[in-house]
Amino acid sequence: MYHKEKSIQIKNSASALYNNLGVLRIAPRRLTYFTVVHANVVNMISASWDGLNYSHRQLQSKEPNVATSTSLIMQAAFCALPSRDLLVVTSQKGIQMYESDGSIMVYWHALDTPETPTEQAVFARGISAVWENYICVGVSSGAILVFDVPSKGSNITLSEVLEEHKESITDMASECSGSQECIANLVTADDEGNLCVWKSGEEFQLLNKIPGFDMSCSSVKLWKGTVVAGYGTGQIRLYEAVTGILHAEVNAHARWIYSLDIAPFSGLLLSAAEDSLVRVWHLTMTPETNSVEVAHLHNECVTDTQICGAKFCDGDGYAFAVTGYDLTDPLGPVGWEMEPLLTSCGYSIGLGSGTL
């Protein structure tokens, strides 16, 4: 179903972080942007669709009044709003927002650092664009910061702080099917596996809280009113967002799930885990019973690699990209080190005598 295409070299290996891959498709320019976090640096690649041209940029972690920050970056993600696209970078010190090509930082938000050292680390993690003009970012205290983003310029403001979670935020996602009819349009997850479902507006409204199982929910998505959550157990659970009814539970991987993604136009679901497997599933809505069915379609094994990021490169799921932590040659005991790679796969489907 999928075949491996040429890999793209990046300047540093990917850190072992959840959801450590950002992808933004720029159709008018026939470009795709990729971001991968390594320590206190974001490696950004601009790739032409014909695979002939690549450009690289590195974004450093920022810190007020410090020339070079050693603050670790926790995540980098593209946020696509109707009026503009931004690249959001979260770290141990704060939140940075850039123009989508990484050329200009338009906003900086410093995290509150306690006066006395505590056992709990301070960081931001979990990023999502929500509806027309909001970007939400999670922090280690469990709070969710809601930023109001204008159609242009740097007049970004912190409009609201949501404080329902008691544990560190791991991931969040907004409704990705493109439907305006969905009541729930944001889901947030924390280190205990708790899920909160929200409706955005001038004030965000908590619609439902789905309890966890004392196992971290590392990656979460929202599609057609269904929450898709990946856990440290290797399981994927599908819940009805508003009621919390469990539609399905899939023993998808043998080890910790690090990344989920959904192609909204086709209902394809991508899952990637520490077991070196990337799996593609298909979600089908059944309106008569208001339920979701899951079918397994495809496996890719990235041998001897702890996968830490996987994303579809388009809304139909025709291609996906994968990153792995500290990629090395299969002859690892000899000490040979491979160049760090970002791998993309594409597929073709037979339609009679033609292909898609």
Side-chain angles (χ1 to χ4, degrees):
M1 184 175 179
Y2 286 86
H3 65 272
K4 187 176 179 182
E5 295 185 341
K6 186 175 71 172
S7 298
I8 304 170
Q9 291 189 354
I10 55 178
K11 295 184 180 297
N12 303 101
S13 63
S15 294
L17 301 169
Y18 304 148
N19 309 299
N20 190 1
L21 175 61
V23 177
L24 179 65
R25 183 182 173 92
I26 311 294
R29 299 173 59 192
R30 301 184 63 81
L31 292 174
T32 302
Y33 294 149
F34 300 95
T35 57
V36 181
V37 173
H38 171 79
N40 65 334
V41 172
V42 177
N43 294 290
M44 185 172 181
I45 306 102
S46 172
S48 62
W49 290 2
D50 58 14
L52 299 178
N53 297 304
Y54 301 98
S55 64
H56 296 261
R57 183 191 296 271
Q58 286 191 317
L59 305 177
Q60 297 283 339
S61 176
K62 301 292 184 182
E63 193 173 337
N65 305 317
V66 176
T68 303
S69 174
T70 58
S71 170
L72 293 178
I73 294 175
M74 305 301 294
Q75 190 178 3
F78 291 104
C79 290
L81 294 167
S83 59
R84 67 194 298 189
D85 298 330
L86 293 176
L87 172 62
V88 181
V89 178
T90 61
S91 70
Q92 294 173 313
K93 296 296 183 180
I95 300 160
Q96 303 157 225
M97 297 188 188
Y98 293 85
E99 296 293 354
S100 59
D101 61 359
S103 59
I104 301 172
M105 186 170 73
V106 296
Y107 184 72
W108 159 260
H109 177 85
L111 296 179
D112 294 330
T113 305
E115 296 181 359
T116 56
T118 63
E119 292 183 0
Q120 184 175 7
V122 175
F123 57 86
R125 180 178 61 190
I127 304 164
S128 182
V130 183
W131 198 221
E132 292 189 344
N133 60 307
Y134 296 111
I135 289 178
C136 295
V137 180
V139 294
S140 52
S141 66
I144 299 161
L145 310 182
V146 180
F147 296 95
D148 193 337
V149 181
S151 58
K152 60 181 179 179
S154 58
N155 190 27
I156 298 170
T157 57
L158 177 63
S159 62
E160 192 174 358
V161 179
L162 310 176
E163 297 184 314
E164 188 64 31
H165 289 277
K166 305 305 178 187
E167 299 294 327
S168 300
I169 302 298
T170 51
D171 193 26
M172 63 178 67
S174 60
E175 172 60 50
C176 67
S177 68
S179 172
Q180 299 181 17
E181 299 176 358
C182 292
I183 298 173
N185 60 357
L186 176 69
V187 59
T188 54
D190 67 27
D191 261 331
E192 283 194 344
N194 300 304
L195 304 172
C196 288
V197 180
W198 309 84
K199 179 182 180 180
S200 66
E202 291 187 8
E203 292 186 358
F204 278 58
Q205 177 185 354
L206 178 67
L207 299 179
N208 190 20
K209 188 169 184 179
I210 302 171
F213 301 87
D214 295 323
M215 175 54 71
S216 180
C217 174
S218 51
S219 193
V220 68
K221 292 296 172 186
L222 185 60
W223 181 72
K224 293 188 177 182
T226 299
V227 175
V228 184
Y231 295 85
T233 57
Q235 293 176 316
I236 298 174
R237 298 190 182 101
L238 281 72
Y239 297 95
E240 186 176 340
V242 176
T243 65
I245 294 173
L246 180 65
H247 285 308
E249 183 177 88
V250 183
N251 293 320
H253 292 272
R255 299 189 67 181
W256 206 293
I257 292 175
Y258 261 56
S259 187
L260 295 177
D261 196 26
I262 288 180
F265 304 140
S266 62
L268 292 179
L269 169 66
L270 187 69
S271 65
E274 283 184 330
D275 59 6
S276 302
L277 288 174
V278 184
R279 289 188 160 140
V280 181
W281 315 79
H282 186 238
L283 307 182
T284 306
M285 299 292 298
T286 307
E288 294 79 12
T289 59
N290 196 29
S291 62
V292 183
E293 295 181 357
V294 186
H296 177 251
L297 297 183
H298 185 74
N299 276 343
E300 285 286 341
C301 181
V302 188
T303 307
D304 297 329
T305 299
Q306 178 183 330
I307 299 170
C308 52
K311 284 278 188 183
F312 285 117
C313 300
D314 56 87
D316 292 298
Y318 290 156
F320 63 84
V322 176
T323 54
Y325 168 66
D326 195 25
L327 283 177
T328 57
D329 191 272
L331 297 176
V334 181
W336 293 2
E337 184 174 353
M338 245 175 117
E339 291 292 332
L341 300 175
L342 183 148
T343 303
S344 65
C345 296
Y347 74 84
S348 61
I349 303 175
L351 297 176
S353 59
T355 59
L356 173 67

